[in-house]
């Protein structure tokens, strides 16, 4: 039977269960979420005269969990519409509903006996061939299903999501000896292509891959802190971005995870291993004391850090592990940290940091990294089949920029192994064998292919065909043309790709020039163009610093030229003879949205935060963004039906004036930035591939550039209505005089000027109005103050 998953059920509606249900709903899978039926009434239920037999009472736990999804921050749902796909029930009354689902995910309490009871019940009601999985983070997957039917066991495996499921990429898939290989392969493919996850196959060992190594690394760090006399703040100052780890570093991460969860995970390994490994997983007494005190981290308001509000704002204090009192937060600043800061990229920073023997920061990083590298090598083959799985698990589950074996390569494998041996460490034999054979690294790249060391030889790493890696592609094909801001690349199959690589991918004249060149080149020699990249963000907007400098120097002729060039670029994208598809992801703000809106189509990543945010720095969009968002909303109106033009203009006015940013691609669709021509890639790694396929589909369908259109505007009456809204906010104390001045300019652009409602104007008229408004606002001292504040503080100024 060909496996499909059309409907799913989640058993258990706690934070993890409801998060998984939300993620399934986000990708369009209708899901039933069940929990236990309550044994007691709440006071509110008693007041209403309800009994334990009432459906509302029996479904209360799952229903409350579903309701809580709306309030969680960060939000587990990409759109409130996702909630419509989640039905609730309870595990006493609704188990027969499992007959209708293709996948049942168990997320109940981490207790083997309870899980076995749940699975015995599931076995009674499930349909033959349906997949059953457990989201356990450490209990033996094999043991859970030991008493179930043969068909159950064939279709059973572990699927360990990381919390929060919407945001964390890793999905560990853990087969048992009974799991049908076809079921395993289906779940791996489904996890990647439908759930959008980075899937790693793990072995059925304590805590699987990421939690085993990650928890070991965190505990080693705690122990080295105590041994070396470092403070909590000092450790966090060097174990974050400086070594390619998340900003939350070590102790902030523990505060976010929760000490109770961390202790539970550590104890799970402690109970199942022996010797030196067991010692590492023995949680230090001061952490157990913190748990006794209820200092669990973010969820309890204090943990390793405590935030206190004072007259001048909030101050963060760090815990002293010896006294268990909070003190001023310290940072580790040494010659090695200063050298590392000057280096570019995590690999170079890390190498600089660990190379400075005798430096206090360098010695700390080396002392916590060394055991983790050796431990990862010792566990290769035991927890995962190969080093790639371990590296990917740590990157996708713990947010490491480079995995343990990539780290080893980065700091110099041979040199670091020699240092380890000098310090009396035992390095696993297979690593020494690799070096004895004359090899210098775990990974190597040849002709665009990546190879990894495995069982005495290098094997080619396989990638999903939907994964386009621009760096590897450029290494093989080179570039068609590049400048400081962007490169034009041949993506294959007659499609070109334009990659931004300026600082923060901000748009300046260099990018504008490359976009224009790309469109000309594509017009002559290619089927179409993808505008996309693989930086931290798609594009954070235009180069704000450059514009402020020109404005402060009164170079308004120069600024006028730049805005005209930006508008011309946007129109070139829109009216290109060949289809242009943009591939935004993460931040696509201001100019990033203005590049995307005129494209033939947008292929967005699920986490696309798109908005026209210029109002926050005292400006309005100057590159055609207001016009294109207005046109996009007009095109969304049903054909042949009268609609209120004023309502559309007011809607766009509000979005731009409030600098509204979508919190997902799904919300960008609701905000009018995406329409029916646009699509969302479930897996962000497949974004460029999907955008390329969209270009080919448009080209093969005989794509024709759009005809230049006249725009219906609301005129003077609409201008007055929009301005009234801004004035009302001012009278209520919600808008300053300068806010109203900016709003007035925006309303004038959207209304088309002092003309009659319903008048059709040329696009160029609205572009000219945008440019004039932008230039007049950037000349304002208060706008320049806002721009300066944003550049220095990274947040808007209200003046």
């Amino acid at each position: 039977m060909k496996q499909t998953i059309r409907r799913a059920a989640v058993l258990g509606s706690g934070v993890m269960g409801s998060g998984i249900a939300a993620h399934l709903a986000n990708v369009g899978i209708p899901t039933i979420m069940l929990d236990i039926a309550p044994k007691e009434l709440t006071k509110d239920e008693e007041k209403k005269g309800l009994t334990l037999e009432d459906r509302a009472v029996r479904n209360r736990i799952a229903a409350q969990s579903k309701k809580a999804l709306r309030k969680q921050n960060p939000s587990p749902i990409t759109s409130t519409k996702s909630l419509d796909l989640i039905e609730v029930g309870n595990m006493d009354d609704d188990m027969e509903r499992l007959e209708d689902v293709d996948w049942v995910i168990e997320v109940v309490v981490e207790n083997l006996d309870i899980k076995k009871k749940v699975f015995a019940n599931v076995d009674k009601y499930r349909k033959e061939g349906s997949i059953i999985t457990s989201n356990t983070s450490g209990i033996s997957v094999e043991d859970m299903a030991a008493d179930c039917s043969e068909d159950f066991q064939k279709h059973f495996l572990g699927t360990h999501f990381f919390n929060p499921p919407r945001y964390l990429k890793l999905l560990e898939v853990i087969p048992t000896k009974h799991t049908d290989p076809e079921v395993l392969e289906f779940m791996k493919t489904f996890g990647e292509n439908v759930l959008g996850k980075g899937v790693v196959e793990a072995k059925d060992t304590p805590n699987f891959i990421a939690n085993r190594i990650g928890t070991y690394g965190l505990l080693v760090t705690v122990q080295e802190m105590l041994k070396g006399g470092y403070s909590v703040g000092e450790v966090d100052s060097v174990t974050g971005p400086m070594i390619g780890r998340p900003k939350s570093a070590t102790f902030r991460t523990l505060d976010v995870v929760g000490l109770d969860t961390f202790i539970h995970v550590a104890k799970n390994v402690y109970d199942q291993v022996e010797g030196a490994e067991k010692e590492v997983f023995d949680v230090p007494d001061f952490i157990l004391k913190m748990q006794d005190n209820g200092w669990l981290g973010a969820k309890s308001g204090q943990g390793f850090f405590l935030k206190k509000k004072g007259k001048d704002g909030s101050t963060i204090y760090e815990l002293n592990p010896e006294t268990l009192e909070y003190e001023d937060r310290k940072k580790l600043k040494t010659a090695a940290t200063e050298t590392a800061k000057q280096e570019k990229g995590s690999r170079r920073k890390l190498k600089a940091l660990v190379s400075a023997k005798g430096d206090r920061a360098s010695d700390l990083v080396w002392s916590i990294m060394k055991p983790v590298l050796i431990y990862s090598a010792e566990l290769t083959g035991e927890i995962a089949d190969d080093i790639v799985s371990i590296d990917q698990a740590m990157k996708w589950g713990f947010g490491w920029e480079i995995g343990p074996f990539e780290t080893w390569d980065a700091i110099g494998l041979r040199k670091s192994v020699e240092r380890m041996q000098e310090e009396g460490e035992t390095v696993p034999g297979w690593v020494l064998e690799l070096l004895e054979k004359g090899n210098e690294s775990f990974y190597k790249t040849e002709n665009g292919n990546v190879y990894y060391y495995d069982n005495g030889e290098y094997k080619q790493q396989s990638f999903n065909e939907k994964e386009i890696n621009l760096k590897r592609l450029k290494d093989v094909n080179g570039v068609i043309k590049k400048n400081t801001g962007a490169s034009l690349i041949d993506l294959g199959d007659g499609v070109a790709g334009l990659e931004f690589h300026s600082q923060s991918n901000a748009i300046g004249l260099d990018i504008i020039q490359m976009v224009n060149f790309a469109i000309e080149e594509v017009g002559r020699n290619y089927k179409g163009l993808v505008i996309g990249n693989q930086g931290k963000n798609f594009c954070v907007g235009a180069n704000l610093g450059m514009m402020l400098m020109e404005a402060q120097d009164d170079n308004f002729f120069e600024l006028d030229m730049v805005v005209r060039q930006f508008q011309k670029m946007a129109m070139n994208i829109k009216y290109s003879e060949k289809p242009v598809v943009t591939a935004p992801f993460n931040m696509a703000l201001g100019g990033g949205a203005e590049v995307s809106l005129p494209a033939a189509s947008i292929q967005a990543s699920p986490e696309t935060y798109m908005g026209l945010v210029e109002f926050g720095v005292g400006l309005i969009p100057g590159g055609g963004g207001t016009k294109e968002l207005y046109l996009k909303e007009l095109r969304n109106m049903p054909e042949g039906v009268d609609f209120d033009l004023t309502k559309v203009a007011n809607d766009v006015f509000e979005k731009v004036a409030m600098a509204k940013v979508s919190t997902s691609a799904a919300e960008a669709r609701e905000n009018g930035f995406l329409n029916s021509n646009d699509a969302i890639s479930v897996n962000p790694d497949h974004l460029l591939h999907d955008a390329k396929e969209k270009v080919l589909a448009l080209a093969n369908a005989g794509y024709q550039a759009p005809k230049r259109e006249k725009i219906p505007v609301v005129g003077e009456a609409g201008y007055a209505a929009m301005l009234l809204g801004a004035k009302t906010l001012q009278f209520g104390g919600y808008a300053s005089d300068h806010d109203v001045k900016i709003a007035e300019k925006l309303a004038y652009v959207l209304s088309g000027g002092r003309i009659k409602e319903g008048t059709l104007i040329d696009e160029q008229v609205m572009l000219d109005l945008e440019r004039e408004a932008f230039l007049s606002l950037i000349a304002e001292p208060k706008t320049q103050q806002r721009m300066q504040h944003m550049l220095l503080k990274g947040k808007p100024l209200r003046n």
Side-chain angles (χ1 to χ4, degrees), residues 518-759:
I519 287 167
E520 279 182 29
E521 177 67 16
V522 165
R524 287 191 297 265
N525 298 313
Y526 291 85
K527 293 178 180 177
L529 176 69
V530 170
I531 299 178
N533 62 75
Q534 290 173 328
K536 188 178 175 187
N537 294 297
F538 173 70
C539 176
V540 296
N543 189 328
L544 197 63
M546 181 272 289
M547 290 193 298
L548 176 61
M549 201 164 57
E550 297 290 358
Q552 288 173 335
D553 290 345
D554 290 334
N555 284 340
F556 290 102
F557 176 80
E558 184 79 16
L559 278 168
D560 180 72
M561 185 272 290
V562 171
V563 178
R564 284 176 189 272
Q565 289 293 324
F566 197 121
Q567 290 184 344
K568 185 183 173 192
M569 171 194 72
M571 294 292 269
N572 284 346
I573 290 170
K574 181 171 184 173
Y575 292 111
S576 165
E577 289 176 16
K578 304 287 179 68
V580 177
V581 174
T582 55
F585 60 94
N586 296 351
M587 299 294 182
L589 305 176
E594 289 183 298
V595 165
S596 297
L597 286 166
S601 181
I602 299 172
Q603 185 74 35
S605 175
E607 301 302 325
T608 297
Y609 312 114
M610 189 177 274
L612 295 167
V613 296
E614 288 83 354
F615 209 97
V617 289
L619 296 166
I620 71 161
T626 305
K627 166 188 69 94
E628 285 300 331
L629 185 59
Y630 179 58
L631 280 171
K632 204 140 190 166
E633 293 225 1
L634 286 177
R635 286 188 212 109
N636 280 343
M637 294 294 122
E639 281 189 40
V641 177
D642 284 340
F643 60 88
D644 186 349
L645 194 61
T646 305
K647 192 171 181 303
V648 176
N650 283 343
D651 189 50
V652 173
F653 174 80
E654 185 182 309
K655 281 166 190 164
V656 179
M658 302 295 285
K660 194 176 276 188
V661 176
S662 68
T663 58
S664 66
E667 198 175 278
R669 194 183 290 287
E670 290 167 15
N671 288 353
F673 284 87
L674 305 183
N675 61 19
S676 57
N677 293 331
D678 306 318
I680 301 168
S681 294
V682 176
N683 190 322
D685 289 345
H686 303 168
L687 181 62
L688 290 177
H689 167 273
D690 295 345
K692 177 183 161 184
E693 291 300 306
K694 177 63 72 76
V695 166
L696 290 170
L698 288 168
N700 294 338
Y703 178 79
Q704 289 189 324
K707 301 287 180 281
R708 201 168 177 97
E709 53 197 316
K710 296 280 187 182
I711 307 172
V713 289
V714 291
E716 200 156 8
Y719 168 75
M722 285 184 269
L723 204 53
L724 179 62
K727 292 276 189 187
T728 305
L729 285 173
Q730 184 185 28
F731 295 142
Y734 296 107
S736 67
D737 290 349
H738 195 55
D739 289 331
V740 173
K741 182 177 277 189
I742 307 163
E744 191 176 351
K745 300 281 186 185
L746 176 61
Y748 194 75
V749 171
L750 270 168
S751 64
R754 299 290 174 87
I755 54 180
K756 190 180 171 189
E757 183 178 358
T759 302

Side-chain angles (χ1 to χ4, degrees), residues 6-205:
R6 295 187 187 89
R7 288 173 63 79
V10 175
L11 308 182
S13 71
V15 172
M16 200 67 207
S18 60
I20 291 170
H23 186 67
L24 297 180
N26 289 339
V27 300
I29 298 172
T31 302
I32 305 161
M33 184 168 68
L34 307 180
D35 212 308
I36 57 172
K39 299 286 186 284
E40 291 177 0
L41 293 170
T42 63
K43 286 182 180 175
D44 191 45
E45 287 166 344
E46 285 175 356
K47 277 183 194 170
K48 290 177 180 174
L50 296 172
T51 72
L52 288 171
E53 299 308 309
D54 282 303
R55 193 73 180 170
V57 174
R58 295 180 73 73
N59 292 351
R60 183 218 311 148
I61 295 173
Q64 284 179 339
S65 294
K66 177 180 173 179
K67 194 176 176 184
L69 291 170
R70 286 179 183 273
K71 297 175 186 172
Q72 286 178 37
N73 187 24
S75 176
I77 51 173
T78 53
S79 162
T80 51
K81 290 177 183 174
S82 297
L83 293 174
D84 296 341
L85 291 177
I86 301 175
E87 296 177 59
V88 298
N90 69 80
M91 286 192 271
D92 287 339
D93 305 328
D94 297 305
M95 293 299 278
E96 69 273 6
R97 296 173 74 182
L98 300 187
E99 294 173 358
D100 299 326
V101 306
D102 307 299
W103 180 21
V104 180
I105 312 156
E106 169 274 313
V107 203
V108 303
V109 65
E110 286 286 81
N111 177 297
L112 180 60
D113 291 336
I114 292 172
K115 287 182 187 289
K116 288 181 87 159
K117 280 180 189 168
V118 168
F119 285 132
N121 207 13
V122 170
D123 209 1
K124 287 182 201 168
Y125 292 102
R126 66 178 281 268
K127 67 180 177 186
E128 194 173 323
S130 63
I131 292 172
I132 316 295
T133 71
S134 171
N135 185 64
T136 183
S137 57
I139 292 175
S140 168
V141 179
E142 194 90 46
D143 292 349
M144 286 183 216
D147 303 328
C148 294
S149 67
E150 187 183 338
D151 186 74
F152 184 107
Q153 292 192 20
K154 273 175 62 180
H155 293 84
F156 179 70
L157 62 160
T159 48
H160 181 214
F161 288 82
F162 273 61
N163 193 30
R166 171 182 164 185
Y167 300 97
L168 281 186
K169 184 174 174 178
L170 181 61
L171 175 64
E172 290 177 322
V173 174
I174 310 101
T176 73
K177 64 180 181 232
H178 302 292
T179 307
D180 185 328
E182 286 187 16
V183 170
L184 172 62
E185 285 309 308
F186 169 79
M187 282 308 290
K188 284 160 75 172
T189 304
F190 177 82
E192 189 172 350
N193 291 345
V194 180
L195 300 180
K197 294 293 174 191
V199 181
V200 169
E201 185 180 334
K203 293 180 183 287
D204 192 6
T205 54

